[in-house]
Amino acid sequence: MLQLSYQSLQVTAVPSQRVPAREDQDGPWHAEAVCRRDEAGLFFAPSKEPTAARLSREEAAKRVCARCPVMVECREHALLQPEPYGVWGGLTAAERRVVLARRRRRDVEVKKAQSAA
């Protein structure tokens, strides 16, 4: 397996601004994010990252997301902003674009069905 050092990245996985507060708790959802603890470098690509290294890093980031208690909130944040880079809520930027395109198509279909009724 490809071994990479992520300690050289100085990127925070969850920004301190533009983040909606959780409705069911006192603090913002990102305060509980697993990625804030020690693995932030996994979530954003260094410049000129080889494809194999990117895929390996993204899979490692998704494993972190899978055990995160606020994964759904993180994912929705990234879809609503939309966040153009990084792994958020277990989805890469490309995967989020697919989700957004599906949502747009679904919204168009719902509007068509409503106007036909």
Side-chain angles (χ1 to χ4, degrees), residues 13 41 50 87 93 107-108:
V87 175
D107 290 345
V108 167

Side-chain angles (χ1 to χ4, degrees), residues 49-85:
E49 182 179 34
T51 301
R54 177 182 55 80
L55 294 172
S56 176
R57 179 186 50 74
E58 288 174 346
E59 285 304 313
K62 288 178 178 187
R63 285 192 298 275
V64 172
C65 291
R67 69 176 201 266
C68 184
V70 293
M71 183 180 77
V72 173
E73 292 90 337
C74 179
R75 179 179 294 176
E76 284 305 310
H77 162 82
L79 292 167
L80 293 173
Q81 287 306 315
E83 293 291 348
Y85 306 106

